[in-house]
Amino acid sequence: MSFLNLVGANTRIEFIELKRYLPNTLSLIFTFYFIFLAMFFGINVIGDPQTADANIQYGIVNMVFWYLTMMTLQNIGFTITLEATRGTLEQLYMSPYGVWRILLARFLGYLAIHSVVVILLLFATMLTANQWLNLQPTIVIPIMLLTIIGIIGVGFMLAGACVIFKQIQAFLQILQFILMGLAFVPLNVAPFLVFAPFVKGFDMIRQVMIQGHTWTDFTVLDFSILIINSLVYLAIGVAFYLKCEKIAMSKGLLSQY
Amino acid sequence: MEEHNIIEVKGLKKVYKKRKTKELVTAISDINFNVREGEILGLLGPNGAGKTTTIKSICGLLSPDQGTIYIKGVDVKKNRLKALNHISAVLEGNRNIYWRLTVRENLEYFSGNRGKGRKEVRHHIEKLLRQFDLKQKENELVSSLSRGMQQKLAIAIALLADSDVILLDEPTLGIDIETGYEIRELLKQIVNEEGKTIIISTHDMPVVQDLCERTVIINKGHVIADERVDQLINLFETRAYSITLGSPLSDRQQQLLEGKFPIYQMVDLQLEVTLENEGDIYDLMDILKSEATKITKIDRTTIDFEQVFMQLIREEGKQHVVS
C-alpha cells in the first residue's frame, strides 16, 4: 500500500508537470508526428510501391516504440539533473523508501501517462497512413510490460551516471540514435541484438502487429529470452544505480551540480 | 546507547580529495556529541568549519570515513533508510521545495514520498496550513510566494513527515525580522506541544540565544564547545570586565597584561578584559596596583551569545576549549 502511495504521488507530479507545461508536451508529440509524416511521404514518393504498405507499417511501429523508449529514458536522465539543479535531489534522498524506489515510481507514472500518448499517436499515424495494424491488446500488452522492465533497467543505468556526473545531456543526444537503431532493426537482420535491451520485445510486438502472430506462434524460448533479458537489465540497472549512489555519498556529490 | 539520547554522534571523520589538486582536506575530525530527546540543539560554526558535513552525515547524505551515528538506536551507516524514518530535514531552505507546484501539491507530494496517501494526511495538512498561516496560499505556486512563506512551507513539509527529529539548516537565512520571529515562535510551539527534537544549524545568534537549550560549536572540523547556551553566557559574563582607569597604563603594565590575559583591549582609558579564571581578577588588580593606577569604575560586561561565539572561535586558535 505504501509503495502504491509512492507511485501515486510520483504519477501525479509527472501529470501535473505535463499539464502545467502543456505547450511543451504538445510540441514534443507533434514533432514525433511530423517526423512520421516525413517518413510516410518519403516511403510513398521514393520507396518501392510494392513494399510500401509493409514499410509504412514497420515505420509506424518503430516510430511509436522509439518515441516511448526515448521519452522514458530521457526523462529518467533529466529527472536527476533537474532535481539537482532545483535543489530538491537531497530532499528526495531523505525519503525512507530510497531514491531508487522513487525513481521506479516516477518511471511507472511516466510510462502510464505516456502509454496514453503512445496509443493516441499510434491511432493518429494509422489514420494518416490508412494502414491498420493488428493491435491484439491481449498479447501486445503482456509483451510490452515485459519489455518495459528492460527499459526501466537501462533507465536506472542512466540515472546512476547522472547522480555522479549530473551533466549527461550530450550522451542523451547520442542515445536517441542508439535507440533508433535498437527500435528499428529487426532481429532477423542482426540476431546478436537479442542480447541488447528491449530489442527482443520490440521484435515480438512487430511480429504480432504486422505479421499477425498469436500466442501459439511464439515458443517458450521466445518468452524465456524476453523475460531473462528484461530481468538481467533491470538487475544490472538497479545494482549500477545503487553503486553510483554509494560513490556519490562517499564523495559528497549528491548536492553538487 | 543512553535512553534519553535520540542522536549519538561518535568519532566522526570525513576527508575530501580536492578535485583539481587531489590534495586531501580533513573536513571534520573526531566529532562527538549527543542530542537528547525533545531538546533544541544549535549547531554552530564559522563557514567551512564542518557543520554541513556533520549535518549531511546525520541525514545519511554523506558517508563518513570513520565514526558512527545513531538515530533512535539505528546506525545511519548500516541502515540508512530505517534511520530516515526518524529524521526529516530542511537542508537548503526554500530551494528544497518544488517551485512549480502549489503549496498543497508540495505537501502532498513529499508525504507521498514517505509512503503516505493523500487521504491519510489530509487532516495533518489542513492543520499545518493553518498553523503556518499558509491556508490562503494553498493553491498558489511556490514560485509566487515570498521567501519567508517558502521557508515556512519547507518547515511544514519536514513536520508532515512526523519524524522524531527535525534538522533545520539556516531556517532564518534571508528572511525579514517579522517572519524570522514567527518561525522562532512556531519552532518553540512544535517542541513544546509535539515534543520534537530539533537541530538548528545557523549563523543567526539571536535564534540560538532565543531557541536553543544547548549548543555544539564546531571549528576547523572539531567540536570546541558543547554546553548549555545559558551556561556559556554565564561563563563568559562572569569573566568579562570593563575597567575605567584614571591614568594610562605604562609599557611594563601592558606587557604584563599581554602575558597574563590573552583577551584584552585598551581603548583610551577603558580596559576591556576577559579572565580565564575567577581568581585572575587578583592578578589584574596586582598589575594595576604595581604602579598605583587609579581605578575610576569597574563593570562586569554584559555579553550576548554572539560575543560568546566569537570569543570561543578566537580562543580556539589559542587551544582553549569549553566542554
Side-chain angles (χ1 to χ4, degrees):
Chain A
M1 190 63 190
S2 298
F3 183 69
L4 285 181
N5 289 331
L6 196 70
V7 175
N10 283 283
T11 307
R12 236 178 347 263
I13 199 177
E14 289 291 351
F15 182 67
I16 290 167
E17 294 228 340
L18 282 180
K19 206 173 65 175
R20 208 149 278 163
Y21 301 101
L22 197 60
N24 183 49
T25 311
L26 289 176
S27 69
L28 271 173
I29 296 168
F30 280 118
T31 304
F32 269 86
Y33 181 67
F34 289 129
I35 292 173
F36 165 75
L37 280 186
M39 194 178 70
F40 171 62
F41 288 114
I43 291 169
N44 272 336
V45 173
I46 56 168
D48 179 0
Q50 299 221 317
T51 56
D53 284 358
N55 287 341
I56 289 166
Q57 286 178 5
Y58 268 108
I60 294 170
V61 178
N62 293 343
M63 278 294 296
V64 165
F65 287 131
W66 181 45
Y67 171 82
L68 187 67
T69 44
M70 201 174 86
M71 292 304 289
T72 309
L73 292 179
Q74 286 204 340
N75 172 267
I76 292 161
F78 281 128
T79 296
I80 297 285
T81 310
L82 200 63
E83 298 286 343
T85 322
R86 286 169 171 170
T88 43
L89 186 62
E90 286 189 320
Q91 196 57 254
L92 295 186
Y93 270 93
M94 290 301 295
S95 164
Y97 282 86
V99 169
W100 79 269
R101 285 192 188 89
I102 293 176
L103 284 177
L104 181 61
R106 288 252 176 122
F107 303 161
L108 295 176
Y110 193 81
L111 277 168
I113 294 164
H114 275 264
S115 295
V116 177
V117 175
V118 160
I119 290 166
L120 293 175
L121 201 59
L122 188 63
F123 276 96
T125 50
M126 286 195 298
L127 192 70
T128 312
N130 196 26
Q131 294 287 340
W132 296 91
L133 297 164
N134 186 14
L135 291 177
Q136 288 202 69
T138 52
I139 182 164
V140 168
I141 291 173
I143 296 173
M144 196 62 216
L145 290 176
L146 289 171
T147 311
I148 282 169
I149 294 172
I151 298 177
I152 291 172
V154 177
F156 271 116
M157 290 181 208
L158 282 177
C162 272
V163 166
I164 293 181
F165 301 111
K166 301 295 186 301
Q167 292 279 8
I168 61 160
Q169 275 87 340
F171 176 71
L172 290 176
Q173 297 293 330
I174 300 165
L175 182 75
Q176 59 183 312
F177 297 107
I178 298 170
L179 290 176
M180 197 184 268
L182 295 177
F184 280 43
V185 179
L187 266 184
N188 55 7
V189 175
F192 60 89
L193 284 180
V194 75
F195 298 110
F198 42 78
V199 174
K200 179 67 182 170
F202 289 169
D203 199 65
M204 286 169 79
I205 292 170
R206 263 195 300 263
Q207 285 171 341
V208 174
M209 285 184 162
I210 299 165
Q211 287 144 24
H213 275 34
T214 59
W215 284 104
T216 50
D217 294 313
F218 293 112
T219 63
V220 174
L221 185 68
D222 285 323
F223 279 99
S224 303
I225 291 171
L226 176 62
I227 292 168
I228 292 169
N229 180 295
S230 292
L231 291 178
V232 165
Y233 275 101
L234 180 69
I236 294 173
V238 174
F240 181 77
Y241 174 78
L242 292 175
K243 182 72 190 167
C244 290
E245 190 179 270
K246 211 172 172 181
I247 293 169
M249 281 177 180
S250 170
K251 293 189 173 180
L253 301 173
L254 279 187
S255 61
Q256 281 184 15
Y257 177 71
Chain B
M1 188 166 152
E2 287 173 56
E3 233 178 71
H4 57 277
N5 285 336
I6 197 161
I7 292 182
E8 196 169 310
V9 180
K10 279 182 187 171
L12 220 56
K13 183 180 181 183
K14 182 75 195 170
V15 177
Y16 292 105
K17 192 186 271 183
K18 277 190 180 172
R19 200 179 277 181
K20 283 183 182 168
T21 58
K22 304 287 176 201
E23 182 194 343
L24 294 175
V25 180
T26 305
I28 50 172
S29 169
D30 198 28
I31 297 277
N32 297 284
F33 65 90
N34 299 325
V35 186
R36 287 177 214 105
E37 201 157 359
E39 92 172 320
I40 308 186
L41 177 89
L43 191 61
L44 308 180
N47 287 334
K51 286 192 313 287
T52 306
T53 304
T54 308
I55 287 167
K56 289 193 175 175
S57 301
I58 294 171
C59 294
L61 298 171
L62 193 66
S63 312
D65 298 325
Q66 277 175 30
T68 50
I69 299 161
Y70 288 96
I71 303 178
K72 227 178 174 180
V74 182
D75 188 335
V76 176
K77 207 170 179 179
K78 287 183 184 161
N79 209 340
R80 195 180 80 87
L81 297 183
K82 195 178 171 193
L84 288 176
N85 279 308
H86 303 296
I87 190 164
S88 54
V90 179
L91 292 170
E92 292 186 53
N94 61 342
R95 277 195 75 224
N96 240 199
I97 48 180
Y98 290 94
W99 285 34
R100 292 168 176 190
L101 296 184
T102 65
V103 169
R104 182 175 277 277
E105 284 165 353
N106 263 288
L107 288 161
E108 287 176 350
Y109 176 66
F110 283 108
S111 62
N113 266 353
R114 284 192 167 246
K116 291 175 184 169
R118 282 203 290 179
K119 281 182 188 169
E120 202 182 331
V121 291
R122 189 177 293 157
H123 291 300
H124 198 176
I125 287 178
E126 283 301 322
K127 187 189 156 204
L128 287 169
L129 285 172
R130 289 178 204 287
Q131 189 179 8
F132 282 76
D133 204 15
L134 290 166
K135 182 68 186 161
Q136 305 251 312
K137 308 271 181 187
E138 65 175 317
N139 294 316
E140 285 189 26
L141 289 180
V142 169
S143 56
S144 68
L145 301 181
S146 67
R147 195 184 166 107
M149 287 265 190
Q150 290 170 342
Q151 191 72 24
K152 283 204 282 187
L153 174 61
I155 298 171
I157 288 169
L159 272 175
L160 191 59
D162 214 13
S163 57
D164 304 293
V165 182
I166 301 167
L167 211 151
L168 304 169
D169 193 8
E170 297 289 0
T172 51
L173 184 72
I175 56 177
D176 59 85
I177 295 167
E178 198 185 338
T179 316
Y181 176 77
E182 228 180 296
I183 287 176
R184 268 147 60 178
E185 292 304 306
L186 279 167
L187 293 175
K188 277 183 200 169
Q189 198 183 344
I190 291 159
V191 171
N192 293 336
E193 290 174 13
E194 299 178 38
K196 304 275 184 201
T197 306
I198 297 181
I199 301 176
I200 301 176
S201 160
T202 184
H203 285 100
D204 192 346
M205 296 304 154
V207 167
V208 180
Q209 196 163 352
D210 186 27
L211 271 182
C212 302
E213 294 155 44
R214 198 162 61 90
T215 180
V216 169
I217 302 177
I218 297 175
N219 193 27
K220 294 173 187 167
H222 58 270
V223 175
I224 58 163
D226 179 353
E227 191 56 87
R228 285 185 60 88
V229 172
D230 52 358
Q231 280 177 0
L232 269 181
I233 292 172
N234 286 341
L235 192 68
F236 279 83
E237 197 167 44
T238 53
R239 293 201 240 139
Y241 289 87
S242 178
I243 301 167
T244 311
L245 304 174
S247 57
L249 294 172
S250 69
D251 290 346
R252 195 188 67 86
Q253 280 177 312
Q254 287 196 27
Q255 275 174 8
L256 285 170
L257 277 175
E258 271 167 30
K260 182 72 188 169
F261 307 105
I263 304 171
Y264 94 96
Q265 198 179 14
M266 185 77 201
V267 180
D268 297 331
L269 294 176
Q270 197 72 31
L271 173 64
E272 308 280 348
V273 62
T274 302
L275 311 179
E276 283 176 19
N277 302 301
E278 278 299 299
D280 288 350
I281 189 80
Y282 301 111
D283 295 332
L284 177 65
M285 291 303 140
D286 285 345
I287 293 170
L288 297 178
K289 201 176 146 192
S290 63
E291 298 198 19
T293 308
K294 194 181 169 193
I295 299 169
T296 314
K297 196 178 167 194
I298 300 181
D299 283 318
R300 225 167 68 183
T301 312
T302 316
I303 195 161
D304 63 13
F305 192 71
E306 189 160 351
Q307 289 166 298
V308 171
F309 175 76
M310 289 312 297
Q311 289 198 17
L312 277 168
I313 297 296
R314 276 192 223 124
E315 276 192 36
E316 203 263 331
K318 300 177 180 102
Q319 298 299 307
H320 292 281
V321 176
V322 179
S323 59

